Amino acid sequence: MGDCKNGYFLPTYTSDASPFAFDDRRFSKHVHDNVHGNIYLDRLSLKFIDTEQFQRLRDLKQLGLTYMVYPGAVHSRFEHSLGVYWLASEAVNRLKTCQGLELGIESFDLQTVKLAGLLHDVGHGPFSHMFEREFLPRVCDGIKWSHEDMSLKMIDYIVDEHSIDIDSACLKKVKEMIVASEEGKSVSSDEKQFLYDIVANGRNGIDVDKFDYIERDTRACGLGCNFQFQRLMETMCVIDNEICYRAKEYLTIHKLFSTRADLHRTVYMHPKVKAIELMVVDALIKANDHLQIASHIDEPAQYWKLDDTIVKRIETSTHQDLEESRNLIRRIRRRDIYQFCNEFAVPKEKLEHFKNVTSQDIICSQNSDAHLNEEDVIVTNVKIDLASGRNNPLERISFFQDYDSFEKFTINDYRVSHLLPACYQDMMVRVYTRKPELVKAVSEAFENFQMKTYGKKTQVHATPEKKKRLSYYQQ
């Protein structure tokens, strides 16, 4: 297949006349990525990359507003997309080297998987998941919208707008691979079903998208990572049209999911990160009527113009209609953010029938001398799991014994270690207030709610007294 360098296989370039063959070096471009080293971009992929719609990803931070807490987390969806493109290529090349004859992997397959990796996030909105999960549900009640579906629309728009010559069968499979992880999505053929496991794996959750963002995000935030995706890339094997892994890598795969959960707990769902997100969401909601933000979510021709710079646009505007939004952005700049009051973990025995806590629940639990209004309180219900809800994600993974094996099987975790978790999901309930002077009243109402609901305080510790005493607390 090619040379091996730093644990990665470099592709061999040929002069094959097929449009899906490896490109000659004269027609490809290589860039240096800080995670994966040299990445080689083929001609067709460059046609997508060199468009304003794809270049827009440079202005979408991978981790949204996390950089306000972790200063190094300023990497973008652009570099992540290149990383997923490259790992998708490496995965196909690895399978082709080891099982190419029996699997019938062709250049067409390689091209479709690479493009799926490259374009899987082209439909993300400003500040990534915050736009989809926090902003849109509050301005478009009942709407069913996902960045994956928007990616499909954006791909069609890019192809038409820039007259990209791409085989229709290739384009169809690329789009199927991007939404392969979404429930209810089907593919057009069972042939080479294993290819759909590479970019967005709906079968068991192991895919190169996770490989890249876990490695990239931990580096950017200055955190250690004991998960090595290279081991899984080197040991995967296709059995019965499914990518399987050596049984001895069970704990390596567990580290994949546990590292992802740790990132959610310490980075993506960090209490102050969420506080700032809540403020930006409020600012966007107040600006929505004037800027017509939500009106663009179904029109790629307008949607691609939305990116993280919308906050700067609000901040520097002098329009009267944006004054409230502008003041919220300035509060963030001055670190006068919404106050995180406290949190508690839902008891394990209550998880199955847990119902999301609302601001109204807290208001109804306030002391008689408090005067809290619903707009003073924000409650967030934070779910952190191992990617399969309350189930063990490793139960969905097929393993094989060694490279002479032709049978796949599942493994129960108790056969591997008794130190593995018995519960696979946490639910955290957090309460914030928009006004610093209300921390004490909100904290007391939050404690009253816990007593009323569970008969005890389930929070780890009380809200710090200095937060309760000061009318303004500088973060």
Side-chain angles (χ1 to χ4, degrees):
M1 179 178 67
D3 298 328
C4 181
K5 182 178 181 181
N6 296 330
Y8 296 106
F9 288 96
L10 301 182
T12 301
Y13 294 84
T14 71
S15 57
D16 193 325
S18 167
F20 299 108
F22 284 124
D23 280 300
D24 188 290
R25 285 184 184 271
R26 293 171 299 173
F27 304 108
S28 66
K29 178 183 292 186
H30 92 269
V31 297
H32 188 80
D33 179 65
N34 67 329
V35 173
H36 306 302
N38 288 331
I39 291 177
Y40 294 85
L41 305 171
D42 63 70
R43 284 177 292 184
L44 182 56
S45 297
L46 283 170
K47 291 181 180 179
F48 284 92
I49 293 172
D50 295 336
T51 64
E52 57 270 32
Q53 290 76 28
F54 190 88
Q55 292 292 318
R56 158 185 176 270
L57 298 181
R58 294 182 186 270
D59 292 318
L60 294 180
K61 289 186 175 61
Q62 172 80 4
L63 299 187
L65 291 150
T66 301
Y67 73 99
M68 298 292 290
V69 175
Y70 290 89
V74 292
H75 54 302
S76 68
R77 289 278 163 187
F78 182 87
E79 53 209 90
H80 166 64
S81 297
L82 296 187
V84 177
Y85 160 93
W86 184 243
L87 290 185
S89 171
E90 296 295 282
V92 177
N93 281 322
R94 174 69 191 180
L95 293 174
K96 187 174 182 180
T97 298
C98 300
Q99 298 177 269
L101 293 179
E102 63 179 282
L103 298 179
I105 296 176
E106 303 170 349
S107 297
F108 173 89
D109 302 317
L110 174 63
Q111 187 69 74
T112 54
V113 175
K114 287 196 299 182
L115 283 176
L118 181 73
L119 301 172
H120 77 289
D121 273 351
V122 76
H124 261 296
F127 301 103
S128 296
H129 292 290
M130 185 209 78
F131 183 82
E132 176 179 354
R133 297 173 183 173
E134 307 292 341
F135 170 70
L136 286 183
R138 290 180 59 186
V139 295
C140 303
D141 188 37
I143 189 173
K144 187 176 181 181
W145 189 95
S146 71
H147 74 271
E148 290 92 352
D149 289 336
M150 190 63 211
S151 292
L152 307 190
K153 294 180 182 179
M154 191 66 74
I155 290 169
D156 286 336
Y157 176 75
I158 293 173
V159 170
D160 293 340
E161 182 72 9
H162 299 277
S163 302
I164 296 177
D165 184 15
I166 181 172
D167 182 82
S168 60
C170 175
L171 186 62
K172 181 180 180 181
K173 284 189 175 294
V174 166
K175 294 194 289 185
E176 288 176 347
M177 289 176 180
I178 288 174
V179 295
S181 64
E182 289 193 318
E183 187 176 352
K185 298 292 183 179
S186 60
V187 298
S188 57
S189 172
D190 290 335
E191 182 186 5
K192 300 178 186 176
Q193 184 69 43
F194 64 90
L195 292 173
Y196 294 83
D197 295 344
I198 294 175
V199 174
N201 191 341
R203 194 177 340 220
N204 58 42
I206 303 178
D207 50 49
V208 295
D209 180 29
K210 285 187 180 65
F211 292 173
D212 184 85
Y213 77 65
I214 287 176
E215 180 76 16
R216 195 174 299 277
D217 294 354
T218 51
R219 287 194 187 196
C221 295
L223 306 175
C225 179
N226 62 357
F227 164 67
Q228 294 182 324
F229 69 83
Q230 293 89 344
R231 286 185 65 90
L232 297 185
M233 295 274 285
E234 292 167 3
T235 61
M236 61 185 180
C237 181
V238 176
I239 301 176
D240 294 337
N241 220 0
E242 177 183 2
I243 295 180
C244 306
Y245 300 88
R246 290 188 73 183
K248 65 184 296 184
E249 299 304 330
Y250 187 95
L251 292 178
T252 301
I253 295 174
H254 181 269
K255 287 179 182 178
L256 163 65
F257 294 113
S258 62
T259 302
R260 174 185 173 275
D262 287 343
L263 278 169
H264 274 271
R265 184 182 299 278
T266 60
V267 178
Y268 311 150
M269 301 296 179
H270 189 287
K272 284 191 174 64
V273 171
K274 295 303 293 183
I276 297 170
E277 282 188 5
L278 292 169
M279 294 187 76
V280 172
V281 169
D282 280 354
L284 293 180
I285 290 172
K286 293 178 185 297
N288 186 53
D289 288 342
H290 179 73
L291 298 179
Q292 295 293 297
I293 302 169
S295 66
H296 301 324
I297 61 174
D298 292 316
E299 296 295 333
Q302 297 299 321
Y303 181 79
W304 76 266
K305 301 173 185 177
L306 290 175
D307 56 41
D308 293 359
T309 60
I310 192 170
V311 166
K312 180 61 69 174
R313 180 179 172 187
I314 293 171
E315 184 180 17
T316 57
S317 172
T318 58
H319 201 286
Q320 185 65 28
D321 290 349
L322 294 177
E323 183 177 4
E324 288 185 278
S325 298
R326 189 162 54 246
N327 289 339
L328 281 170
I329 301 302
R330 286 176 178 171
R331 280 186 62 181
I332 294 173
R333 300 296 191 199
R334 296 164 184 173
R335 206 62 175 183
D336 176 19
I337 65 177
Y338 291 168
Q339 291 297 296
F340 168 65
C341 299
N342 217 320
E343 68 179 5
F344 70 82
V346 177
K348 183 168 65 174
E349 65 273 13
K350 303 292 185 180
L351 281 173
E352 185 174 358
H353 302 290
F354 173 77
K355 182 180 179 181
N356 279 351
V357 180
T358 67
S359 299
Q360 188 61 41
D361 293 327
I362 307 304
I363 297 301
C364 292
S365 302
Q366 64 182 305
N367 294 333
S368 58
D369 59 341
H371 302 284
L372 296 175
N373 297 314
E374 193 168 350
E375 61 269 19
D376 297 329
V377 180
I378 308 173
V379 177
T380 62
N381 299 273
V382 180
K383 183 175 70 174
I384 300 173
D385 58 33
L386 298 186
S388 293
R390 293 188 297 111
N391 300 316
N392 181 2
L394 280 86
E395 293 177 350
R396 298 188 297 165
I397 298 165
S398 295
F399 295 89
F400 62 92
Q401 183 175 353
D402 53 46
Y403 296 117
D404 294 325
S405 304
F406 299 97
E407 295 183 358
K408 62 182 182 181
F409 52 86
T410 57
I411 299 175
N412 294 319
D413 56 2
Y414 67 82
R415 297 171 61 189
V416 177
S417 172
H418 297 300
L419 297 178
L420 295 174
C423 186
Y424 305 98
Q425 183 184 84
D426 277 342
M427 181 64 74
M428 311 294 296
V429 179
R430 291 175 178 162
V431 65
Y432 297 82
T433 178
R434 291 182 170 91
K435 301 175 181 178
E437 64 271 19
L438 297 178
V439 169
K440 180 178 180 181
V442 172
S443 299
E444 291 175 352
F446 192 54
E447 292 177 5
N448 293 341
F449 171 80
Q450 296 169 58
M451 292 296 296
K452 183 170 63 174
T453 306
Y454 303 113
K456 60 181 179 180
K457 295 179 184 179
T458 58
Q459 62 192 34
V460 175
H461 52 72
T463 304
E465 286 299 322
K466 62 180 180 180
K467 263 196 173 186
K468 295 180 180 180
R469 289 195 304 265
L470 298 179
S471 61
Y472 175 80
Y473 179 77
Q474 184 68 34
Q475 293 291 314

